[in-house]
Amino acid sequence: MSKTILLNQNWIFSKEGHDEPVTLPHTWNAIDGQDGGNDYYRGTCCYTTVLPDIVLPENGRAVLQFDAVAMTAEVYLNEQKLAEHKGGYSAFCVDITDALRNGSNLLRVNVDNSDNDTVYPQKADFTFYGGIYRDVTLHVVPAAHFALAENGAVPVKVTPIVTDLDARRCEVTVEAAVVGAEERQLHA
């Protein structure tokens, strides 16, 4: 059975040597990014939290889903770098299973909203807010599960095709991206 845990509480935010507790979603430009100028803080800050105890089912996986981090992110578990994501407006997933320890696990996310030439948009008439500004979720899944795509996309696709409009008939194709399960075709 899959389990989903929202991880928005109990984070420590660090900026230039100053630490403070925060709740996600969070941005460090909530005040300095509001005046319309281009003088708001752009740089690297850090978010840390201790994950709750994670009990995996046999051959199960633990996957973090970040719904958005602006603008780039480096994800570490127990000081082991697991992923880097470039794209402040897109969701991404990180499989943390192989880095988990029994007991306490420290999650650190380095976030950078510096001006750069690899993440779009590069110039605009709005503030490039920095932070983990959407939810972070932990998915604990069994060996056979719906795939958690790298980009956070829904793993199910439904395609209806009308075959006889007068008779109100259609064919519906449902495709699911799965891990560790057999392919099956069902006809109703």
Side-chain angles (χ1 to χ4, degrees):
M1 163 97 55
S2 295
K3 183 177 182 180
T4 301
I5 303 166
L6 188 62
L7 297 176
N8 288 352
Q9 305 295 319
N10 303 315
W11 288 83
I12 300 297
F13 169 70
S14 302
K15 175 182 166 188
E16 298 181 328
H18 173 73
D19 296 348
E20 66 178 280
V22 296
T23 298
L24 304 182
H26 176 266
T27 177
W28 60 74
N29 300 116
I31 296 172
D32 67 352
Q34 296 297 314
D35 64 6
N38 200 18
D39 57 348
Y40 57 95
Y41 181 81
R42 294 189 81 174
T44 301
C45 295
C46 178
Y47 292 84
T48 56
T49 191
V50 175
L51 296 178
D53 287 340
I54 299 171
V55 178
L56 294 176
E58 184 177 349
N59 298 316
R61 307 301 293 176
V63 179
L64 291 171
Q65 180 174 323
F66 294 85
D67 288 344
V69 179
M71 293 301 282
T72 64
E74 296 176 337
V75 180
Y76 296 80
L77 187 64
N78 301 318
E79 295 306 319
Q80 178 184 346
K81 184 176 180 179
L82 300 182
E84 185 173 337
H85 179 76
K86 295 180 178 183
Y89 305 105
S90 58
F92 65 99
C93 291
V94 179
D95 188 324
I96 64 170
T97 308
D98 297 335
L100 283 173
R101 297 180 187 159
N102 288 332
S104 181
N105 287 278
L106 179 66
L107 175 63
R108 176 169 54 94
V109 183
N110 293 341
V111 180
D112 188 354
N113 71 334
S114 296
D115 192 14
N116 68 66
D117 5 346
T118 60
V119 178
Y120 288 94
Q122 294 178 6
K123 301 289 180 204
D125 62 349
F126 55 81
T127 300
F128 288 88
Y129 292 94
I132 303 176
Y133 70 96
R134 292 197 181 138
D135 292 341
V136 175
T137 309
L138 172 64
H139 299 278
V140 177
V141 295
H145 60 273
F146 285 109
L148 296 165
E150 296 274 330
N151 63 359
V154 176
V156 178
K157 175 183 173 186
V158 178
T159 308
I161 299 173
V162 176
T163 56
D164 187 341
L165 185 59
D166 292 332
R168 296 183 180 178
R169 292 187 175 270
C170 71
E171 291 179 9
V172 178
T173 303
V174 179
E175 299 171 78
V178 295
V179 174
E182 298 176 18
E183 182 177 319
R184 298 192 188 257
Q185 292 188 359
L186 302 174
H187 299 281

